[in-house]
Amino acid sequence: MEYTIQKLAHLAGVSTRTLRYYDEVGILKPARINSSGYRIYSQKEVDRLQQILFYRALEVGIDEIKQLLLNPSYDELDALNDHYQKLLEKRAQIDLLIHNVQSTIAMKKGEKPMTNKEKFQGLKKQLIKENEQKYGKEIRKKYGDEKINRSNKQFANLSEEEFKQMNELGQQILEKLAIAMKTNNPQGELAQEVAKLHHQWLGYTWPSYSREAHAGLAQMYVSDERFTAYYDDAVETGATQFLCDAILYYTSK
């Protein structure tokens, strides 16, 4: 069975503009162009679109989808099994958040007690999942699965007070970084205070600390645009490089 672009868009619940974009970036080419100049899609393209939309539902970026689909070793059945496992994980996370909200509602109604640890359980797991999706590949490659798994476990086990302190310290780092940048001296007293605070902040999630690992993380901040955007957007352009320079000096002493 063949589909015009309008019929395929209607079938999949996407816009024709989306299908044209997928064609443009090279992840979903039509089977052929008919004599009237219309894109025609066969069953093969329908199946490919399903795979693309699975990846998009899992918030995988277009560039990564392209790398996966165009990889000569790409196997559709393996990909489906991978989708299945990730969806199970996603469902488990959503179920945990639903349970957390239900328990909170019950607590507010006076129907059942809820410990402070339980209040943040689902939220912390959501943060871990988001960090894994954004940065997991890079940090696991740099530090290894064992260290990252231990870090995630330590974060998940933070008490309510520790979780609050960590967030407050993170905000303090941003505020002091903005002030330190005005000195234009990453080796100065203010900048080194920021580096020390960053060291303390890492202690909430890092099972052990080393100057080498801290310096490596700082360099990753400036080498990866996603990390760079966090501090540059929160403070001002150049904040990430300034923080990196401050940390490198801090860890060299």
Side-chain angles (χ1 to χ4, degrees), residues 103-117:
S103 297
T104 303
I105 292 172
M107 180 199 69
K108 295 293 184 181
K109 289 181 176 180
E111 297 174 355
K112 59 178 288 189
M114 186 179 190
T115 68
N116 287 331
K117 184 176 181 180

Side-chain angles (χ1 to χ4, degrees), residues 16 31 45 73 80 86 89 95 114 141 173 216 218 246:
T16 56
E45 287 72 48
S73 62
L80 284 169
K86 284 185 168 61
E89 293 172 6
D95 287 345
M114 186 179 190
K141 182 178 180 180
I173 289 171

Side-chain angles (χ1 to χ4, degrees), residues 19-223:
L19 295 181
R20 291 190 182 94
Y21 173 67
Y22 289 165
D23 183 2
E24 180 183 333
V25 298
I27 60 175
L28 185 68
K29 295 288 185 182
R32 61 186 178 87
I33 305 295
N34 69 11
S35 58
S36 300
Y38 291 110
R39 292 174 170 85
I40 303 297
Y41 297 86
S42 68
Q43 187 61 48
K44 179 182 177 181
E45 287 72 48
V46 172
D47 293 342
R48 172 62 68 92
L49 178 58
Q50 182 194 38
Q51 291 287 341
I52 293 170
L53 296 182
F54 277 147
Y55 282 122
R56 296 300 291 145
L58 293 169
E59 300 179 352
V60 179
I62 293 296
D63 288 342
E64 186 174 351
I65 292 174
K66 185 174 182 178
Q67 290 179 0
L68 290 167
L69 295 180
L70 299 185
N71 190 319
S73 62
Y74 177 79
D75 183 275
E76 186 173 335
L77 182 58
D78 287 343
L80 284 169
N81 283 323
D82 185 56
H83 288 317
Y84 177 66
Q85 292 301 320
K86 284 185 168 61
L87 287 170
L88 288 178
E89 293 172 6
K90 190 172 186 178
R91 183 175 69 180
Q93 179 62 34
I94 292 174
D95 287 345
L96 181 60
L97 288 171
I98 290 173
H99 176 73
N100 190 294
V101 173
Q102 288 175 330
S103 297
T104 303
I105 292 172
M107 180 199 69
K108 295 293 184 181
K109 289 181 176 180
E111 297 174 355
K112 59 178 288 189
M114 186 179 190
T115 68
N116 287 331
K117 184 176 181 180
E118 289 172 332
K119 292 177 184 178
F120 294 94
Q121 186 177 21
L123 297 175
K124 286 188 289 187
K125 287 191 175 182
Q126 179 67 19
L127 287 174
I128 290 173
K129 180 182 177 183
E130 290 175 356
N131 284 334
E132 282 284 354
Q133 290 176 337
K134 290 180 180 178
Y135 315 119
K137 184 177 180 180
E138 290 77 10
I139 60 176
R140 286 181 178 276
K141 182 178 180 180
K142 188 174 185 66
Y143 297 108
D145 289 337
E146 182 180 354
K147 177 169 283 190
I148 300 306
N149 289 340
R150 286 169 58 199
S151 175
N152 288 342
K153 183 177 180 180
Q154 181 168 321
F155 176 71
N157 289 329
L158 289 178
S159 67
E160 177 192 9
E161 183 61 26
E162 290 171 331
F163 186 60
K164 179 182 177 183
Q165 290 172 354
M166 179 184 176
N167 287 330
E168 289 177 347
L169 184 55
Q171 184 59 38
Q172 188 179 357
I173 289 171
L174 295 177
E175 293 171 357
K176 288 186 177 292
L177 177 59
I179 298 173
M181 284 189 69
K182 298 183 185 302
T183 69
N184 200 32
N185 182 11
Q187 298 181 12
E189 183 178 349
L190 287 176
Q192 289 307 290
E193 182 183 353
V194 173
K196 182 178 180 180
L197 290 175
H198 193 269
H199 173 183
Q200 295 173 2
W201 179 75
L202 289 175
Y204 285 97
T205 56
W206 282 27
S208 60
Y209 174 83
S210 73
R211 292 179 180 273
E212 293 78 11
H214 194 182
L217 182 64
Q219 291 170 328
M220 182 182 288
Y221 281 175
V222 295
S223 64

